[in-house]
Amino acid sequence: MMSKDIVLAFSGGLDTSFCIPYLQERGWAVHTVFADTGGVDAEERAYIEARAKELKAASHVTVDGGPAIWNGFVKPFTWAGEGYQGQYPLLVSDRYLIVDAALKRCAELGTRAIAHGCTGMGNDQVRFDLAVKAQGDYEIVAPIREIQKEHTEVRAYEQKYLEDLGFGVRAKQKAYTINENLLGLTMSGGEIDRWQAPGEGAVGWCKPRPEWPSKPLQLKISFVNGEAVALDGEKMVGHLMLAKLNTLLAQYGVGRGIYTGDTTIGLKGRIIFEAPGLTALLVAHRALEEAVLTKQQNRFKPEVARKWVELVYEGFFHDPLKTDLEAFLASSQATVNGDVTLETSGGIVNAVAIESKHILNAKGATYAQAADWGVAEAEGFIKLFGMSSTLWAEVNR
């Protein structure tokens, strides 16, 4: 009997390595796809390709996810300008681009079957499944969820399963679970999960304070219609600029935080996150928006942003409301053009200078300095503007 084709989103780790023989035993020809969203070096990328071959995948492709992650997530996220629950910069959003790469491979192979290595305890399964369901009628196979019905020590079971088949398993005994991609790094486990202060080993990209450079860093980001297009005057492709910002600002410890979030499945999730480049983009973009958008735009935009962020966090990446909100966000960016100079001495980054022909400067007035209206006009405005509150005070004294 001829095997049926299935596409597996593959990372080379224990879970997705287990998935290949597990699916093969159930009659599938497993085609692996690794979407490189910036979390691995060339050596690890080569290992992943070799691992797929070792496990006898029917085919393997590696996809450069950089452009997709910039256009599909970073650009609208920067427009929105808000983290999840005011903090978390949605570093898991590469999952949606991984799904897209896997579905593209399904189309090439003419199959409607897709598999992933998500567990039944986390948020990623929700993001993965909903992203697939929104794009067509596919059969979704999740081997790790299936074996959780019968086994409590899942990772030990996976390891023994692979070793019994003659496949080695890399020893990765770490105190912390670390996930990296172009967007940033997240860390959990150990003291973090126990609501304690992170230990000395909880180190990611960001340098600790004693290692920050002594000289402040200054850099200039140029925006066109709200999209970062150049760094220090040099035009750059978006995902390459983000990678460079990550490298530069991690040296100064910028973009590191620890937060507790309300997860999609209702648990509390506590993580360390590091997003040097995204932090810089958000700071620069917001400074420019504050100068060129109207008071009403600046007040209303965060409401749209919060909803957009919640949709993306919870798996509704392809919901029509997200598309509707992005139409508003794109419209709001027509005058978000100019250069923003950022500066950091470590820890935080500030926007110290803004250049744009769209800055809403009143020619004859400067706040708290000079005005091109008279005292009577100011007093009249105050009287009318505060009428309701003043009347309440008079009536209810």
Side-chain angles (χ1 to χ4, degrees):
M1 188 177 99
M2 199 170 167
S3 296
K4 301 171 291 179
D5 292 320
I6 192 168
V7 173
L8 170 67
F10 185 70
S11 68
L14 177 59
D15 290 332
T16 56
S17 291
F18 165 83
C19 287
I20 295 179
Y22 179 91
L23 291 166
Q24 288 167 339
E25 284 188 0
R26 281 147 188 80
W28 294 103
V30 184
H31 300 265
T32 51
V33 173
F34 171 59
D36 184 355
T37 55
V40 302
D41 55 21
E43 183 181 350
E44 181 68 10
R45 190 163 163 161
Y47 168 81
I48 292 166
E49 292 174 356
R51 182 66 163 167
K53 186 175 181 181
E54 176 195 4
L55 292 162
K56 299 181 174 59
S59 71
H60 176 82
V61 295
T62 299
V63 178
D64 179 7
I69 209 170
W70 177 268
N71 292 312
F73 172 74
V74 177
K75 189 158 72 169
F77 177 65
T78 307
W79 291 349
E82 293 276 332
Y84 176 63
Q85 295 184 320
Q87 294 185 71
Y88 178 52
L90 295 181
L91 304 182
V92 292
S93 299
D94 67 323
R95 301 335 185 234
Y96 302 113
L97 294 319
I98 293 169
V99 169
D100 289 345
L103 292 182
K104 182 183 178 187
R105 186 65 177 140
C106 283
E108 291 168 356
L109 295 167
T111 182
R112 308 290 289 182
I114 187 168
H116 62 74
C118 299
T119 73
M121 290 93 75
N123 291 328
D124 279 346
Q125 59 177 332
V126 181
R127 299 182 184 110
F128 202 105
D129 284 17
L130 289 181
V132 172
K133 289 174 183 291
Q135 298 184 74
D137 183 19
Y138 291 87
E139 179 180 356
I140 302 172
V141 184
I144 311 305
R145 282 199 306 232
E146 290 181 7
I147 65 172
Q148 283 174 336
K149 297 170 187 174
E150 301 168 17
H151 304 278
T152 52
E153 298 295 327
V154 172
R155 292 184 70 80
Y157 173 79
E158 293 174 51
Q159 183 166 338
K160 185 176 186 306
Y161 181 93
L162 285 168
E163 288 173 345
D164 286 349
L165 290 172
F167 299 114
V169 175
R170 278 202 296 191
K172 290 186 91 172
Q173 299 299 321
K174 292 184 178 178
Y176 305 98
T177 298
I178 299 175
N179 289 299
E180 301 176 58
N181 59 47
L182 178 65
L183 304 174
L185 172 149
T186 61
M187 195 180 311
S188 60
E191 311 88 1
I192 304 166
D193 288 351
R194 297 193 297 270
W195 307 85
Q196 297 169 358
E200 290 183 5
V203 177
W205 299 348
C206 290
K207 296 290 186 187
R209 185 170 191 142
E211 296 178 31
W212 293 351
S214 56
K215 185 180 178 183
L217 173 70
Q218 228 183 55
L219 47 86
K220 183 184 286 188
I221 300 177
S222 303
F223 292 89
V224 174
N225 295 336
E227 180 181 5
V229 296
L231 181 59
D232 290 330
E234 179 187 351
K235 287 189 176 181
M236 295 185 76
V237 178
H239 66 285
L240 298 180
M241 186 193 306
L242 182 55
K244 187 166 184 179
L245 287 170
N246 281 333
T247 301
L248 290 171
L249 290 155
Q251 303 302 308
Y252 288 81
V254 169
R256 180 176 166 104
I258 182 165
Y259 108 113
T260 300
D262 291 301
T263 69
T264 304
I265 57 174
L267 298 172
K268 295 290 183 184
R270 189 170 189 251
I271 59 167
I272 289 173
F273 65 86
E274 297 185 351
L278 275 182
T279 299
L281 287 174
L282 292 183
V283 169
H285 183 266
R286 173 161 288 185
L288 184 56
E289 274 196 334
E290 287 169 348
V292 305
L293 296 188
T294 66
K295 176 181 178 180
Q296 302 304 333
Q297 284 177 303
N298 278 324
R299 280 181 170 180
F300 181 73
K301 257 195 84 244
E303 302 299 321
V304 176
R306 275 189 284 276
K307 189 60 191 176
W308 184 90
V309 164
E310 286 172 4
L311 290 171
V312 174
Y313 180 83
E314 294 191 334
F316 297 102
F317 195 78
H318 296 283
D319 192 275
L321 177 57
K322 176 176 168 287
T323 305
D324 297 340
L325 296 176
E326 284 178 5
F328 165 80
L329 291 172
S331 173
S332 74
Q333 300 301 296
T335 61
V336 185
N337 306 306
D339 301 330
V340 179
T341 300
L342 296 176
E343 184 175 275
T344 182
S345 296
I348 61 171
V349 61
N350 292 306
V352 295
I354 304 164
E355 303 166 64
S356 173
K357 65 180 182 180
H358 300 288
I359 293 175
L360 300 184
N361 265 335
K363 289 185 173 63
T366 303
Y367 175 67
Q369 303 288 334
D372 56 358
W373 54 78
V375 172
E377 290 170 298
E379 290 176 342
F381 168 76
I382 294 166
K383 180 178 179 179
L384 296 174
F385 187 66
M387 180 74 72
S388 178
S389 293
T390 304
L391 283 173
W392 187 94
E394 288 175 359
V395 170
N396 294 291
R397 278 192 189 114

PDB file of all heavy atoms in Angstrom, residues 373-382:
ATOM      1  N   TRP A 373      -2.109  83.301  20.807  1.00  0.00           N
ATOM      2  CA  TRP A 373      -3.473  83.673  21.192  1.00  0.00           C
ATOM      3  C   TRP A 373      -3.387  84.540  22.450  1.00  0.00           C
ATOM      4  O   TRP A 373      -2.362  84.587  23.132  1.00  0.00           O
ATOM      5  CB  TRP A 373      -4.336  82.436  21.453  1.00  0.00           C
ATOM      6  CG  TRP A 373      -3.766  81.458  22.455  1.00  0.00           C
ATOM      7  CD1 TRP A 373      -3.779  81.587  23.817  1.00  0.00           C
ATOM      8  CD2 TRP A 373      -3.070  80.248  22.176  1.00  0.00           C
ATOM      9  NE1 TRP A 373      -3.147  80.519  24.400  1.00  0.00           N
ATOM     10  CE2 TRP A 373      -2.700  79.670  23.415  1.00  0.00           C
ATOM     11  CE3 TRP A 373      -2.731  79.576  20.995  1.00  0.00           C
ATOM     12  CZ2 TRP A 373      -2.012  78.477  23.512  1.00  0.00           C
ATOM     13  CZ3 TRP A 373      -2.052  78.395  21.093  1.00  0.00           C
ATOM     14  CH2 TRP A 373      -1.685  77.844  22.328  1.00  0.00           C
ATOM     15  N   GLY A 374      -4.481  85.202  22.749  1.00  0.00           N
ATOM     16  CA  GLY A 374      -4.479  86.134  23.863  1.00  0.00           C
ATOM     17  C   GLY A 374      -4.949  85.514  25.164  1.00  0.00           C
ATOM     18  O   GLY A 374      -5.475  84.397  25.197  1.00  0.00           O
ATOM     19  N   VAL A 375      -4.783  86.300  26.258  1.00  0.00           N
ATOM     20  CA  VAL A 375      -5.182  85.841  27.581  1.00  0.00           C
ATOM     21  C   VAL A 375      -6.682  85.596  27.641  1.00  0.00           C
ATOM     22  O   VAL A 375      -7.151  84.601  28.209  1.00  0.00           O
ATOM     23  CB  VAL A 375      -4.760  86.872  28.649  1.00  0.00           C
ATOM     24  CG1 VAL A 375      -5.350  86.511  30.019  1.00  0.00           C
ATOM     25  CG2 VAL A 375      -3.248  86.969  28.736  1.00  0.00           C
ATOM     26  N   ALA A 376      -7.468  86.472  27.032  1.00  0.00           N
ATOM     27  CA  ALA A 376      -8.935  86.322  27.061  1.00  0.00           C
ATOM     28  C   ALA A 376      -9.356  85.024  26.368  1.00  0.00           C
ATOM     29  O   ALA A 376     -10.286  84.339  26.825  1.00  0.00           O
ATOM     30  CB  ALA A 376      -9.597  87.521  26.391  1.00  0.00           C
ATOM     31  N   GLU A 377      -8.687  84.705  25.275  1.00  0.00           N
ATOM     32  CA  GLU A 377      -9.012  83.457  24.563  1.00  0.00           C
ATOM     33  C   GLU A 377      -8.691  82.244  25.438  1.00  0.00           C
ATOM     34  O   GLU A 377      -9.456  81.263  25.482  1.00  0.00           O
ATOM     35  CB  GLU A 377      -8.219  83.383  23.253  1.00  0.00           C
ATOM     36  CG  GLU A 377      -8.667  84.386  22.209  1.00  0.00           C
ATOM     37  CD  GLU A 377      -7.711  84.451  21.019  1.00  0.00           C
ATOM     38  OE1 GLU A 377      -6.534  84.805  21.232  1.00  0.00           O
ATOM     39  OE2 GLU A 377      -8.138  84.126  19.895  1.00  0.00           O
ATOM     40  N   ALA A 378      -7.575  82.266  26.139  1.00  0.00           N
ATOM     41  CA  ALA A 378      -7.199  81.159  27.015  1.00  0.00           C
ATOM     42  C   ALA A 378      -8.214  80.995  28.146  1.00  0.00           C
ATOM     43  O   ALA A 378      -8.657  79.882  28.455  1.00  0.00           O
ATOM     44  CB  ALA A 378      -5.798  81.399  27.591  1.00  0.00           C
ATOM     45  N   GLU A 379      -8.599  82.147  28.761  1.00  0.00           N
ATOM     46  CA  GLU A 379      -9.558  82.075  29.867  1.00  0.00           C
ATOM     47  C   GLU A 379     -10.919  81.578  29.394  1.00  0.00           C
ATOM     48  O   GLU A 379     -11.594  80.805  30.087  1.00  0.00           O
ATOM     49  CB  GLU A 379      -9.679  83.452  30.529  1.00  0.00           C
ATOM     50  CG  GLU A 379      -8.417  83.846  31.298  1.00  0.00           C
ATOM     51  CD  GLU A 379      -8.505  85.261  31.863  1.00  0.00           C
ATOM     52  OE1 GLU A 379      -9.356  86.050  31.382  1.00  0.00           O
ATOM     53  OE2 GLU A 379      -7.723  85.577  32.774  1.00  0.00           O
ATOM     54  N   GLY A 380     -11.342  82.016  28.196  1.00  0.00           N
ATOM     55  CA  GLY A 380     -12.616  81.563  27.631  1.00  0.00           C
ATOM     56  C   GLY A 380     -12.603  80.064  27.357  1.00  0.00           C
ATOM     57  O   GLY A 380     -13.585  79.363  27.633  1.00  0.00           O
ATOM     58  N   PHE A 381     -11.491  79.591  26.822  1.00  0.00           N
ATOM     59  CA  PHE A 381     -11.370  78.147  26.546  1.00  0.00           C
ATOM     60  C   PHE A 381     -11.477  77.344  27.841  1.00  0.00           C
ATOM     61  O   PHE A 381     -12.196  76.348  27.916  1.00  0.00           O
ATOM     62  CB  PHE A 381     -10.032  77.856  25.862  1.00  0.00           C
ATOM     63  CG  PHE A 381      -9.696  76.393  25.796  1.00  0.00           C
ATOM     64  CD1 PHE A 381     -10.325  75.559  24.877  1.00  0.00           C
ATOM     65  CD2 PHE A 381      -8.770  75.826  26.676  1.00  0.00           C
ATOM     66  CE1 PHE A 381     -10.039  74.211  24.826  1.00  0.00           C
ATOM     67  CE2 PHE A 381      -8.479  74.474  26.634  1.00  0.00           C
ATOM     68  CZ  PHE A 381      -9.124  73.673  25.698  1.00  0.00           C
ATOM     69  N   ILE A 382     -10.763  77.785  28.872  1.00  0.00           N
ATOM     70  CA  ILE A 382     -10.779  77.064  30.140  1.00  0.00           C
ATOM     71  C   ILE A 382     -12.192  77.031  30.722  1.00  0.00           C
ATOM     72  O   ILE A 382     -12.665  75.992  31.205  1.00  0.00           O
ATOM     73  CB  ILE A 382      -9.796  77.709  31.143  1.00  0.00           C
ATOM     74  CG1 ILE A 382      -8.354  77.533  30.649  1.00  0.00           C
ATOM     75  CG2 ILE A 382      -9.954  77.105  32.542  1.00  0.00           C
ATOM     76  CD1 ILE A 382      -7.347  78.402  31.375  1.00  0.00           C
TER      77      ILE A 382
END
